[in-house]
Amino acid sequence: MADDESESDLFVSSREPPPRALTQVSPMVRRLVAPNASPFTFNGTCTYIVGQDKVAIIDPGPDDDLHLSALLAAVEGEQVETILITHTHRDHSVGARKLRAATGAQVVGAAPFTPRGNGAAGLDSAHDRDYSPDTILADGERWQRAGFTIEAIATPGHCSNHLCFALLEENALFSGDHVMGWSTSIVAPPDGSMRAYMDSLDKLRGRPETIYWPGHGGPVLEPQRYLRALIHHRRQREASILNALAAGSQTIPALVARIYVGLNPALTRAAGLSTLAHLEDLAERGMVVGEAAASGEQRFRLA
Ligand SMILES: [Zn+2]
């Protein structure tokens, strides 16, 4: 899921929607884009097929029978051994259920979603509550199969159970919704955390992978440069919020109207959630205070 398409001019080359059809994108990787285009998913979820003959499928996507049959056709005559899941947002993991039933593959990767409170806040309702993996991969754990090795990298922030998967043989990273070229990621509390997201961006700095294959959109071709740009972008946003609050206390809708200029109206709520994520982080660092006004609305001011 994405935050704000107006910011995606960070790196113009990755903004092209990838072709929907099955595409061999590297010697070991094929990509098939699911038909679930939206302002949050670009032209759809990217499902990746890794290996040959005995393959792994990364993020089978939403519950969509057309996508499922296209995937099964793509791997006809091959054995799907593993279904890898980066995180449990419904546009990534729900398709695992029918794909597992059709192939007998093991579902491996992200831990199940654990709601806090009633699980209705933020984007928590976007999680797949029926997800039940056969194997949960911990940070640094490797999943070795004939011809390839996947290393899980815990990257919470976009959501708490997010994993990226490094494909060691190709020095490539499946970056899920943590790092995408077409847009910045949405970080929606309570499950999403800006502090965790920034730490997870930092975690990828200095890693050796030279290309990222994201959950939506085309590849990120200069990942280290792009990571620096993403970190810079978030610091700028934080500075804009602090600037706006210097003029007096503000509600989140007022901050969004001021900071997200030219925002697609469909993304207003998402932008509000990302702003809340920044405010929570600033509050934890003692820089901002939230308070309920008499009207019941939440206002924020400098500490
Ligand atoms: Zn997501």
Side-chain angles (χ1 to χ4, degrees), residues 53-299:
D53 300 327
K54 291 185 174 181
V55 304
I57 291 183
I58 299 181
D59 283 357
D63 182 20
D64 184 294
D65 288 342
L66 280 176
H67 188 53
L68 177 69
S69 45
L71 265 177
L72 291 173
V75 296
E76 209 189 332
E78 300 177 285
Q79 189 188 344
V80 182
E81 288 188 322
T82 311
I83 301 166
L84 285 159
I85 302 294
T86 60
H87 67 298
T88 56
H89 280 150
R90 301 180 57 82
D91 56 320
H92 291 259
S93 63
V94 176
R97 214 132 40 239
K98 286 180 184 166
L99 186 60
R100 168 161 56 187
T103 61
Q106 288 188 66
V107 177
V108 175
F113 170 62
T114 315
R116 299 180 220 185
N118 65 6
L123 286 177
D124 285 13
S125 60
H127 277 282
D128 168 12
R129 305 298 176 95
D130 301 323
Y131 169 75
S132 62
D134 299 293
T135 304
I136 296 168
L137 293 181
D139 184 40
E141 207 170 331
R142 290 184 175 186
W143 186 257
Q144 201 144 15
R145 282 294 175 268
F148 62 89
T149 309
I150 295 281
E151 181 182 329
I153 303 156
T155 43
H158 169 70
C159 61
S160 58
N161 63 8
H162 196 286
L163 299 176
C164 292
F165 296 123
L167 173 59
L168 301 191
E169 288 76 9
E170 289 197 343
N171 211 14
L173 185 82
F174 297 96
S175 54
D177 284 6
H178 178 46
V179 176
M180 303 180 284
W182 75 282
S183 169
T184 55
S185 302
I186 181 167
V187 177
D191 189 48
S193 154
M194 191 59 70
R195 181 80 265 133
Y197 170 73
M198 294 297 281
D199 288 348
S200 293
L201 289 179
D202 245 4
K203 191 172 188 174
L204 297 186
R205 298 211 38 204
R207 281 196 62 95
E209 290 82 19
T210 52
I211 187 168
Y212 288 5
W213 297 106
H216 307 273
V220 176
L221 299 174
E222 294 181 84
Q224 289 303 320
R225 205 173 139 224
Y226 189 60
L227 286 170
R228 283 199 299 277
L230 285 177
I231 291 165
H232 175 73
H233 166 78
R234 294 291 174 167
R235 291 198 181 125
Q236 296 272 87
R237 172 133 303 155
E238 184 180 287
S240 309
I241 290 172
L242 289 170
N243 244 333
L245 295 180
S249 76
Q250 301 272 0
T251 63
I252 286 178
L255 285 169
V256 168
R258 178 162 170 165
I259 292 164
Y260 288 77
V261 177
L263 179 69
N264 175 345
L267 297 175
T268 303
R269 182 165 172 268
L273 289 166
S274 280
T275 303
L276 173 62
H278 274 293
L279 290 164
E280 281 191 346
D281 178 35
L282 288 165
E284 271 172 41
R285 288 150 60 197
M287 297 165 78
V288 163
V289 177
E291 47 202 17
S295 59
E297 64 183 357
Q298 178 91 338
R299 297 186 75 88

